[in-house]
């Protein structure tokens, strides 16, 4: 069974907190497409839930040395689902080297990497994955495979002594996910989950004000809008488990951290498939999720696949002493109302480019033993439990009471698939 809900602050820090370091406190930029004087801010600021920067991790650029002894060797599984943001991080990060890509379909490799894979990278079929996992130059495995295929790959990589970065979710099934974390514990290797929004500079800044400084007093309400652009493909939605596990789960994770509460008392969801193809998957493309937490805080999540010109990513926190809002931003600082052509279109990958980059760097630091994985086993299990309850509420058309522990994540997912 899932462990009893923890007290408000237990899971907001790693099991082994990193020594706090001096940090500046500028207003962060959410633009990832143009450099700014604050471009290095996110590398100095600790990810959400961590109280300080890692002293041993250097953020200074180093000359490319992909074949040097200090370069971290990596293998990537599932090129067909690898995100553009992750690929860009792989290309830009000079302290690592992609040695292998494991993918059965050559066209997927070509789609991901273009005309040719990076020099020095070998492409293998899944049946030959042991070659990559047996290579002592490989320190880490990047798993981009769907949640129903990922657990076996994760366990194989851990048993081979490799640290693992899961681009999506290790699994949407509680028991399968627990088995992955158990294997990581047994093997003494890190398992890093892809909750990328934790690493966004703007959300980190908001977290410090809300949780560390208590600038808003007691939190009354939080509302988020997360409209994706471009919309996730049907194949990705099907592979990832649908909108609740592909999109909503990331907002659920952020809400839990901002409130310091893992699970709401009550959750209610409404959704609709405006795209007929999405309906054929027994999924929705637009969903509104309402939650009430033990502290009394009321949360609304608005998640949609429909954003025609630019992604829409906003978050508001209302407290007893004021309100803070993360709004859509662009490099020019221009706000548009009713224009026929988007002035500064921004994709989801561009909006969270800094977040993906810092998440990837966090993975590299865990491989070097400089810090523990930011997402703990307990945090992950609670997050997928809430996502499962939100999906159950939508399918049944009624609220789900989580106070009784009735919405066991494994049971919920088995029931609705």
């Amino acid at each position: 069974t899932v462990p009893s809900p923890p007290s408000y602050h237990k899971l907001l820090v790693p099991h082994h907190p990193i020594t706090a370091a001096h940090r500046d406190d500028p207003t962060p930029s959410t633009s990832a497409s143009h450099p700014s004087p604050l471009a290095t801010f996110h590398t100095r600021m600790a990810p959400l839930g961590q109280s300080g920067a890692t002293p041993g991790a250097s953020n200074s650029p180093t000359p490319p040395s992909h074949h040097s002894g200090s370069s971290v060797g990596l293998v990537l599984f599932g090129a067909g689902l690898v995100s553009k943001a992750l690929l860009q991080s792989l290309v830009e990060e000079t302290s690592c080297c992609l040695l292998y890509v494991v993918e059965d379909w050559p066209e997927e490799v070509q789609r991901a990497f273009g005309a040719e894979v990076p020099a020095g990278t070998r492409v293998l079929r899944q049946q030959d994955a042991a070659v990559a996992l047996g290579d002592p130059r490989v320190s880490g495995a990047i798993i981009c495979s769907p949640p129903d295929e990922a657990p076996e790959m994760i366990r194989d990589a851990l048993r081979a002594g490799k640290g693992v970065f899961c681009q999506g979710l290790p699994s949407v099934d509680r028991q399968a996910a627990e088995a992955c974390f158990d294997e990581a514990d047994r093997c003494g290797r890190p398992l890093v989950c892809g909750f990328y929004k934790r690493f966004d500079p703007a959300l980190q800044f908001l977290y410090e004000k809300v949780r560390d400084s208590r600038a808003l007093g007691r939190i009354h309400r939080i509302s988020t809008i997360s409209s994706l652009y471009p919309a996730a493909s049907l194949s990705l939605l099907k592979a990832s488990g649908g909108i609740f596990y592909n999109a909503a789960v990331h907002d659920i994770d952020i809400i839990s951290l901002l409130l310091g509460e893992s699970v709401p008392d009550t959750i209610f969801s409404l959704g609709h498939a405006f795209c007929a193809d999405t309906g054929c998957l027994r999924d929705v493309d637009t969903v509104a999720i309402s939650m009430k937490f033990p502290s009394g805080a009321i949360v609304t999540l608005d998640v949609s696949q429909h954003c025609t010109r630019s992604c829409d990513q906003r978050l508001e926190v209302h407290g007893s002493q004021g309100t803070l809002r993360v709004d859509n931003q662009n490099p020019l600082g221009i706000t548009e109302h009713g224009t026929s052509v988007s002035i500064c279109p921004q994709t989801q990958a561009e909006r969270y480019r800094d977040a993906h980059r810092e998440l990837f760097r966090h993975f590299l630091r865990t491989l070097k033993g400089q810090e523990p994985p930011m997402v703990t086993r307990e945090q992950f299990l609670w997050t997928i439990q809430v996502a499962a309850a939100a999906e159950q509420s939508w399918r049944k058309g009624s609220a789900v009471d989580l106070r009784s522990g009735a919405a066991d994540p494994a049971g919920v997912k088995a029931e609705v698939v």
Side-chain angles (χ1 to χ4, degrees):
T1 60
V2 177
S4 299
S7 59
Y8 288 177
H9 311 299
K10 283 184 180 177
L11 299 180
L12 292 179
V13 297
H15 293 308
H16 307 288
I18 307 302
T19 304
H22 172 74
R23 288 177 295 186
D24 295 331
D25 191 29
T27 302
S29 167
T30 59
S31 168
S33 40
H34 291 261
S36 75
L38 303 176
T40 59
F41 169 66
H42 70 283
T43 64
R44 294 196 302 271
M45 181 182 253
L48 286 178
Q50 181 172 321
S51 58
T54 304
S58 171
N59 298 310
S60 302
T62 55
S65 57
H66 291 299
H67 299 285
S68 69
S70 61
S71 186
V72 176
L74 300 172
V75 54
L76 185 147
F77 289 84
L81 292 178
V82 63
S83 70
K84 291 182 178 179
L86 176 55
L87 277 178
Q88 184 163 7
S89 297
L90 268 169
V91 170
E92 293 177 350
E93 189 57 50
T94 58
S95 65
C96 66
C97 177
L98 183 62
L99 298 176
Y100 297 94
V101 173
V102 179
E103 174 61 61
D104 281 335
W105 303 98
E107 60 270 23
E108 296 292 0
V109 177
Q110 184 174 4
R111 182 199 63 80
F113 292 94
E116 58 183 25
V117 297
T121 301
R122 182 179 174 188
V123 179
L124 301 174
R125 293 186 177 274
Q126 185 62 45
Q127 64 185 22
D128 300 318
V131 173
L133 295 179
D135 190 332
R137 297 175 301 162
V138 174
S139 299
I142 301 171
I143 311 294
C144 302
S145 306
D148 59 337
E149 300 176 8
E152 183 178 358
M153 298 179 185
I154 292 171
R155 292 193 296 269
D156 286 346
L158 291 168
R159 288 166 186 162
K162 317 302 180 185
V164 173
F165 170 51
C166 217
Q167 175 186 255
L169 305 181
S171 178
V172 297
D173 176 80
R174 177 181 62 83
Q175 292 182 340
E178 280 192 307
C180 292
F181 283 101
D182 286 341
E183 197 65 46
D185 290 341
R186 276 194 295 269
C187 298
R189 300 302 295 153
L191 172 54
V192 174
C193 302
F195 286 164
Y196 63 90
K197 287 190 176 182
R198 289 180 177 224
F199 296 83
D200 178 64
L203 293 176
Q204 289 175 355
F205 184 86
L206 185 68
Y207 174 85
E208 285 203 336
K209 297 304 178 186
V210 172
R211 298 296 302 160
D212 294 347
S213 304
R214 304 283 177 174
L216 300 184
R218 184 178 180 181
I219 303 305
H220 294 171
R221 292 183 293 119
I222 301 180
S223 60
T224 72
I225 293 176
S226 184
S227 297
L228 283 62
Y229 177 80
S233 65
L234 291 176
S235 60
L236 176 59
L237 282 176
K238 184 177 181 180
S240 63
I243 194 170
F244 290 94
Y245 297 95
N246 179 61
V249 70
H250 296 284
D251 291 329
I252 292 170
D253 176 56
I254 289 298
I255 293 300
S256 173
L257 290 174
L258 289 175
L259 288 177
E261 301 178 88
S262 298
V263 178
D265 284 340
T266 309
I267 186 166
F268 179 67
S269 304
L270 291 172
H272 188 75
F274 289 96
C275 174
D277 290 339
T278 304
C280 292
L281 297 178
R282 298 183 65 232
D283 196 22
V284 290
D285 48 44
T286 302
V287 64
I289 304 171
S290 297
M291 299 180 279
K292 184 175 182 181
F293 283 80
S295 65
I298 295 174
V299 173
T300 57
L301 308 181
D302 182 343
V303 184
S304 175
Q305 285 266 88
H306 295 284
C307 214
T308 55
R309 295 181 297 170
S310 184
C311 72
D312 189 2
Q313 299 286 309
R314 288 173 280 164
L315 185 149
E316 287 187 356
V317 183
H318 303 268
S320 59
Q321 298 178 23
T323 299
L324 286 175
R325 178 171 65 186
V326 177
D327 216 337
N328 290 314
Q329 297 186 22
N330 60 65
L332 300 178
I334 297 175
T335 302
E336 6 175 349
H337 295 285
T339 55
S340 58
V341 178
S342 183
I343 297 174
C344 294
Q346 192 176 51
T347 66
Q348 190 83 353
E350 290 169 343
R351 164 61 182 84
Y352 290 105
R353 183 175 297 168
D354 287 343
H356 284 285
R357 182 188 297 116
E358 185 55 24
L359 170 57
F360 183 67
R361 288 175 176 171
H362 164 62
F363 171 56
L364 295 180
R365 292 193 294 269
T366 67
L367 292 179
K368 298 173 183 177
Q370 295 173 342
E371 62 191 39
M374 185 52 52
V375 180
T376 67
R377 171 204 301 259
E378 292 84 359
Q379 287 175 335
F380 179 79
L381 292 177
W382 285 124
T383 302
I384 63 169
Q385 178 183 8
V386 176
E391 184 182 32
Q392 183 190 49
S393 173
W394 161 64
R395 292 188 184 277
K396 289 190 172 182
S398 59
V400 172
D401 185 353
L402 285 166
R403 287 170 292 190
S404 63
D408 176 84
V412 170
K413 197 59 187 171
E415 177 184 349
V416 299
V417 167

